[in-house]
């Protein structure tokens, strides 16, 4: 009997020892499966909740890129318009005070041909800056962007469609330059 009890005890002990790892692994697998299901559900829920903020972040990032693109293009346009306005002024001045050209129209035509590269850039990018403006005009920086576009439009018309007297041209040139420079500076402070 002792021997039988010992055998029974040994068999029971071996059975428990052998079943214990199986139960642990099975338990872990079930636990992992439940955790994975729970995590997947949570992850799916989290993704659904996070989609909106992520989408908003992406939209905001895209909008910020467009605003920076608008600013950079307006800055380049200003540089080119400054060059053209200054050269027209110089040619006009030379015609009046040094009688360099046959008339004012010849002076302006010379200046425009001299600045052909800058004028081409200005005219080719006018539609682009207007298009960018439409994309960014309703942003948080709408006041600054509107001020830049307004100053740009006035300066563009002034440079492309030269008219008036030398006195009004020279007075307006500095006014338009400063207005666009100030508007761009205000926008850059907000970027």
């Amino acid at each position: 009997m002792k021997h039988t009890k010992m055998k029974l005890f040994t068999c029971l002990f071996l059975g428990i020892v052998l079943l214990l790892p199986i139960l642990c692994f099975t338990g872990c697998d079930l636990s992992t499966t439940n955790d994975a299901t729970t995590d997947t559900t949570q992850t799916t829920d989290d993704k659904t909740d996070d989609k909106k903020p992520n989408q908003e972040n992406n939209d905001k990032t895209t909008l910020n890129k467009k605003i920076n693109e608008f600013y950079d293009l307006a800055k380049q346009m200003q540089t080119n318009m400054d060059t053209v306005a200054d050269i027209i002024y110089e040619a006009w001045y030379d015609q009046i005070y040094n009688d360099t050209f046959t008339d004012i129209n010849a002076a302006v035509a010379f200046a425009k041909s001299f600045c052909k590269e800058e004028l081409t850039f200005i005219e080719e990018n006018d539609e682009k800056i207007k298009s960018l403006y439409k994309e960014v005009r309703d942003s948080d920086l709408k006041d600054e962007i509107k001020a830049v576009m307004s100053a740009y439009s006035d300066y563009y018309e002034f440079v492309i469609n030269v008219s008036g007297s030398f006195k009004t041209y020279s007075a307006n040139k500095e006014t338009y330059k400063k207005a666009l420079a100030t508007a761009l500076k205000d926008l850059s402070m907000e970027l």
Side-chain angles (χ1 to χ4, degrees), residues 4-18:
T4 311
K5 279 186 176 180
M6 184 69 140
K7 242 183 180 183
L8 183 62
F9 180 73
T10 306
C11 284
L12 193 58
F13 179 74
L14 284 174
I16 291 173
V17 168
L18 290 174

Side-chain angles (χ1 to χ4, degrees), residues 21-34:
I22 294 171
L23 290 174
C24 283
F25 287 123
T26 306
C28 290
D29 286 341
L30 289 174
S31 173
T32 305
T33 305
N34 286 339

Side-chain angles (χ1 to χ4, degrees), residues 121-138:
F121 179 85
I122 293 165
E123 290 171 344
E124 286 176 353
N125 285 287
D126 184 53
E127 286 304 315
K128 184 176 181 180
I129 200 166
K130 288 176 183 174
S131 175
L132 284 169
Y133 172 70
K134 288 177 184 176
E135 294 180 52
V136 300
R137 68 181 171 199
D138 294 325

Side-chain angles (χ1 to χ4, degrees), residues 60-126:
K60 198 163 199 159
T61 300
T62 301
L63 183 61
N64 287 340
K65 285 180 183 177
K66 290 289 183 183
I67 292 170
N68 281 316
E69 188 178 351
F70 172 79
Y71 171 81
D72 291 341
L73 183 56
K75 190 80 172 152
Q76 290 173 338
M77 296 291 265
Q78 179 196 18
T79 299
N80 285 292
M81 289 189 295
D82 287 350
T83 300
V84 173
D86 289 343
I87 291 178
I88 290 172
Y89 172 84
E90 289 172 19
W92 204 334
Y93 180 91
D94 283 346
Q95 168 50 35
I96 292 174
Y97 296 105
N98 299 326
D99 204 25
T100 308
F101 301 96
T102 55
D103 61 21
I104 301 301
N105 292 332
V108 171
F110 170 79
K112 284 188 170 189
S113 69
F114 188 80
C115 299
K116 192 165 190 75
E117 187 177 314
E118 288 85 356
L119 282 167
T120 301
F121 179 85
I122 293 165
E123 290 171 344
E124 286 176 353
N125 285 287
D126 184 53

Side-chain angles (χ1 to χ4, degrees), residues 16 23 32 34 114 125 142 150 153-154 173 179 189-190:
I16 291 173
L23 290 174
T32 305
N34 286 339
F114 188 80
N125 285 287
K142 64 184 172 191
S150 178
S153 296
D154 292 342
K173 178 174 77 85
M189 300 289 273
E190 299 297 323

